[in-house]
Amino acid sequence: MELRFKRNHFLALAALFLLVTRIQLLWEPFFHADEARFALSAQIWQQKGIPYLDWIETKPLGVYFFYTASSWLAGHSSQVNMLAVHLVSLVWTFLTALALDRIATRITSPRAGGMAALLFILFSSFWDPSIVSVSIEVVLLLPLVASIAFLKPSPDSFKKRDSLAAGFCVAAAFLCKYQAGILLPIVFLYYWVILWRFAPTWRTRQAVKHSL
């Protein structure tokens, strides 16, 4: 009998390999030197420090908010709890995989979506601590992918809340890294070129409204 993997099988494997490739996050307090720097900066912020004044930084505050919010969830308001940060990052990474699953499912098939999620989990680790540690890139990926996942392929199923959600995701990506600005031309290209070409019912008024 032919063994044929379905979407849920691939998602289950993705969850399994998420733990296998990142299991050390559960007992290593700092998996990479950048984590120690991010944790220290976030802790200064938690203790009423002023960003860009009480610690030196040139990047947006998204990753520090991630460390702070994760610690708050664990009941730590004045210090960073790295176990909580790592646990939240595992959930965050799996949500990123699910967003990729949604995009690939919409483009091709549910099975392809599950495969996309699994391949992301596998190839986003490479068993390299600098990659699987809670870095700016790890935090950035979810809003980056989700902003595209909220864009619908047909204007008939397109709602203002989808554009609003995509906009919030773009803003969240900006809070992680300035280079996330690459999303803006992609989103506007979608509204003003792709839908214009493939959706005859799409109008200028709709493009303006959803762009705003």
Side-chain angles (χ1 to χ4, degrees):
M1 183 176 65
E2 181 183 359
L3 180 62
R4 183 174 178 82
F5 281 90
K6 297 182 179 180
R7 173 178 177 267
N8 289 340
H9 297 146
F10 284 114
L11 292 180
L13 284 173
L16 174 63
F17 281 107
L18 175 71
L19 292 176
V20 170
T21 57
R22 295 160 173 84
I23 190 67
Q24 286 178 278
L25 291 173
L26 300 181
W27 64 75
E28 290 286 349
F30 298 107
F31 206 57
H32 189 265
D34 281 347
E35 285 193 338
R37 181 168 60 86
F38 293 146
L40 176 60
S41 300
Q43 187 162 304
I44 294 173
W45 195 12
Q46 286 177 288
Q47 295 173 358
K48 312 300 182 183
I50 301 175
Y52 309 111
L53 180 63
D54 292 324
W55 80 85
I56 299 174
E57 185 54 87
T58 59
K59 303 178 183 66
L61 298 176
V63 69
Y64 307 113
F65 181 78
F66 185 90
Y67 275 64
T68 300
S70 300
S71 300
W72 283 343
L73 290 175
H76 292 255
S77 59
S78 61
Q79 60 182 359
V80 171
N81 184 316
M82 286 307 299
L83 178 59
V85 172
H86 288 159
L87 287 174
V88 172
S89 77
L90 291 176
V91 176
W92 194 265
T93 301
F94 192 68
L95 289 175
T96 306
L98 291 180
L100 286 170
D101 162 63
R102 179 176 178 178
I103 294 172
T105 295
R106 185 182 298 155
I107 295 173
T108 54
S109 67
R111 187 167 182 266
M115 290 179 64
L118 174 60
L119 291 174
F120 166 73
I121 294 297
L122 289 174
F123 289 99
S124 64
S125 67
F126 288 103
W127 308 91
D128 185 343
S130 64
I131 296 177
V132 300
S133 61
V134 186
S135 62
I136 294 174
E137 286 72 21
V138 169
V139 179
L140 167 69
L141 276 176
L142 179 55
L144 192 76
V145 176
S147 65
I148 303 301
F150 279 114
L151 300 179
K152 297 295 181 65
S154 169
D156 297 330
S157 61
F158 214 104
K159 306 296 182 183
K160 283 189 287 187
R161 63 173 178 267
D162 297 318
S163 292
L164 185 63
F168 273 119
C169 289
V170 171
F174 264 117
L175 288 176
C176 297
K177 204 167 188 178
Y178 297 126
Q179 288 87 336
I182 194 174
L183 280 172
L184 288 178
I186 293 174
V187 172
F188 282 105
L189 181 70
Y190 171 78
Y191 287 134
W192 290 94
V193 177
I194 296 175
L195 285 180
W196 270 98
R197 182 175 180 181
F198 295 102
T201 60
W202 191 251
R203 297 290 183 265
T204 301
R205 182 173 61 85
Q206 292 171 289
V208 172
K209 179 176 66 176
H210 287 282
S211 297
L212 294 176

